[in-house]
Amino acid sequence: MPPRFVRPTSRRGWLLLAAFILIIAAGCWPVIALVNQPVRVLGLPLIALWAYGIVLASVAVMALGNRWLARSDPPAAEPEERVQRERSS
Amino acid sequence: MNVPVALSITLTYLLVALCIGVRARGGRSMARLEEWGVAGRSMNGVVLYLLIGAGSISAYTFMGAPGWAYSKGVPVFYVVIYLSYLAMVAWYFGPKVWALGERFGHVTQADAIRDRYQSPKLGALAALVMSIGTLAYAVLQTIGAAYILDVMSGGAIPRWAGVSVVLGIMAIYLWLSGQRAIGMTNAFQGALMLVIAWLIGLWATHQASGDWWFGAVFDRLADQRPGFLTLPGADGSMSFAFWTTSILVSMVSFMPPVWMQWMSARSPTTLRRSATWLPTYYVVILPMVVVGFIGIFALPQLERADTVALTMAMQSMPAALAGLLGAGTLAAAMSSSEPFIHATAVTWARDVLRPALGLSEAATARLARWLLLAIMALIVAPLAITSPGNLVMILLIGLGFAAQVLPAFIGMFLWPRATPAGVTAGILAGFAVTLLGTLVWRNPLGVHAGFWGLLLNLPLFVVVSLSTRPVAREVTERFFAIMARH
């Protein structure tokens, strides 16, 4: 059991945590003040494009996390396996 | 507009939803609460993606979001950002919630709270208080659904009849198929919303500007109403402080139905994959927001901003498109209303009445299904029909409370030293501050009331936890052993 506060246990875990924090910071002040301009990019207000940039960034970071987890974890038991395991135990 | 065509399309949607919801049962027995409540933890990735996506979008997409664009402008995009953050929250915490549920048999959020803090009273308190916001939300969605039927029928279906029809249909498939009905109908509703929103948005853009992309709409706004393109928005209400704190408070609000949706996943991997792609679903908001922006010029004298899309549909869209918009809005309202009503029935049965009455598992499952009908008939329907003026205020208070339960989750996932006394003190103090900041001094200094609540809640939670006795070591050990694996 962790003594104080649950923390990442690997370098990749820390990197993911840092990426999550950066993405959250990207949607908040003061970063949002930097993109709060009355300009349009690709036809959209900059702040709208920024919001969808955050969408893409969050998908990318979670997809990266999935890849890292798949490499480090044994495959999770699917329902059929669980049922068999419960029957045999 | 040709009312019979528009209405028949909207009603056809209702019939299809009913058929899908009834068939979702697939011959399974719903006698176990784990089956009726969380679909036997069996949902695949695609269903889960649409279930969570559609459930979180609500009638807001078709009414609220265009309304915000119409009255405020780009502040509406804070929703896209916080929903993406909620997906990251689901990615990180969802698999842990799933694993706890599978290992210890939790079905509801309050179940997990009760187990972690070894306190049936804290579990019951969380269940009851969280249901204030949950039910207010369900009632507002039901009112939205009835309003659509009223508009699409040209006033022939009054609110009481619309409420009865919508709740009646939901009651049938929820009774028969429980969470499986929610999963399958939300998947259908989610896909329908995505298609309809883009169809309506592109059509309205083409009508307004002659182009198929939104650029010309924003060019005109930049020329004539530039205040709509930056914060604090056209009405000056969305300061940086309110934008930021609204996003943060919404991000840490763990609503009970979402918790149950996580537990419905087939496996932690399925849930993680769904959460990964979930933010992409929120492209559904963009075209409807553009409809709101178009309304600034097309309907300058509108009395109620949230009717902008429907008013535009009734005035200028072909009947088939207006009917599809009606179906899409109805889908959005129902896909959010049904999981909230269902989650309340399950948690009242399992976390409040079962410990109070000493019920068996089978009796609790039966009771939950009857409670669903009782909640619909005795709470949701009367409130939706009479629509009391303070309903939105009740919702705000309820949602404000949702964020204040954060210490309970910190103690569950991150900090073993958290104690029941610390959690209770933090929740009560945070809730009191949120209440004051909602009712008395509205969002002091432009900061979200829930954020002020957390500023008191979290330090108090830590201090009281450190000065009170934690629960038995074996409890925290079994919880945090799972945290370490997921």
Side-chain angles (χ1 to χ4, degrees), chain B residues 302-382:
Chain B
L302 207 56
E303 228 169 75
R304 272 184 57 190
D306 63 358
T307 61
V308 60
L310 282 170
T311 308
M312 201 181 289
M314 303 307 284
Q315 288 185 2
S316 58
M317 285 182 193
L321 212 52
L324 281 175
L325 179 64
T329 316
L330 203 52
M334 288 171 66
S335 66
S336 297
S337 178
E338 60 197 38
F340 280 71
I341 298 172
H342 173 258
T344 304
V346 175
T347 200
W348 281 10
R350 187 169 175 93
D351 306 308
V352 181
L353 294 172
R354 187 178 72 155
L357 304 175
L359 298 174
S360 68
E361 186 67 30
T364 308
R366 278 196 302 276
L367 178 66
R369 294 170 81 187
W370 285 110
L371 267 178
L372 175 95
L373 301 183
I375 289 169
M376 282 181 165
L378 303 176
I379 300 174
V380 180

Side-chain angles (χ1 to χ4, degrees), chain B residues 113-114 117-128 351-352 355 424:
Chain B
I113 293 174
R114 174 196 51 73
Y117 298 101
Q118 297 292 295
S119 168
K121 282 180 187 162
L122 188 57
L125 179 73
L128 283 172
D351 306 308
V352 181
T424 309

Side-chain angles (χ1 to χ4, degrees), chain B residues 106-376:
Chain B
H106 304 156
V107 174
T108 62
Q109 187 183 65
D111 226 359
I113 293 174
R114 174 196 51 73
D115 190 17
R116 164 65 180 86
Y117 298 101
Q118 297 292 295
S119 168
K121 282 180 187 162
L122 188 57
L125 179 73
L128 283 172
V129 184
M130 288 294 257
S131 56
I132 297 172
T134 305
L135 281 179
Y137 189 77
V139 171
L140 283 172
Q141 298 298 324
T142 308
I143 291 172
Y147 175 74
I148 303 303
L149 287 176
D150 184 13
V151 171
M152 288 295 144
S153 66
I157 302 178
R159 182 185 288 175
W160 66 266
V163 167
S164 307
V165 167
V166 169
L167 287 180
I169 286 174
M170 289 197 300
I172 292 169
Y173 62 65
L174 286 178
W175 169 270
L176 290 173
S177 313
Q179 182 78 336
R180 283 184 192 276
I182 295 174
M184 297 313 291
T185 54
N186 270 26
F188 165 63
Q189 289 156 344
L192 188 72
M193 281 190 267
L194 203 55
V195 172
I196 290 176
W198 276 92
L199 206 60
I200 299 282
L202 292 175
W203 184 89
T205 304
H206 190 256
Q207 287 296 111
S209 67
D211 285 345
W212 289 105
W213 182 237
F214 309 134
V217 176
F218 292 111
D219 285 346
R220 189 177 175 191
L221 269 173
D223 285 342
Q224 298 176 20
R225 312 287 289 274
F228 279 88
L229 297 186
T230 51
L231 300 180
D235 63 359
S237 62
M238 188 62 110
S239 62
F240 290 132
F242 197 66
W243 166 285
T244 301
T245 51
S246 297
I247 286 174
L248 295 177
V249 167
S250 306
M251 191 183 91
V252 298
S253 298
F254 291 64
M255 296 301 284
V258 177
W259 192 279
M260 287 173 64
Q261 288 164 1
W262 294 348
M263 285 209 272
S264 307
R266 180 179 291 174
S267 71
T269 310
T270 306
L271 176 53
R272 232 181 238 122
R273 283 191 191 133
S274 294
T276 300
W277 294 105
L278 193 57
T280 62
Y281 185 78
Y282 304 127
V283 295
V284 71
I285 294 172
L286 180 61
M288 292 311 297
V289 161
V290 172
V291 171
F293 282 121
I294 292 169
I296 294 169
F297 299 110
L299 302 164
Q301 303 299 328
L302 207 56
E303 228 169 75
R304 272 184 57 190
D306 63 358
T307 61
V308 60
L310 282 170
T311 308
M312 201 181 289
M314 303 307 284
Q315 288 185 2
S316 58
M317 285 182 193
L321 212 52
L324 281 175
L325 179 64
T329 316
L330 203 52
M334 288 171 66
S335 66
S336 297
S337 178
E338 60 197 38
F340 280 71
I341 298 172
H342 173 258
T344 304
V346 175
T347 200
W348 281 10
R350 187 169 175 93
D351 306 308
V352 181
L353 294 172
R354 187 178 72 155
L357 304 175
L359 298 174
S360 68
E361 186 67 30
T364 308
R366 278 196 302 276
L367 178 66
R369 294 170 81 187
W370 285 110
L371 267 178
L372 175 95
L373 301 183
I375 289 169
M376 282 181 165

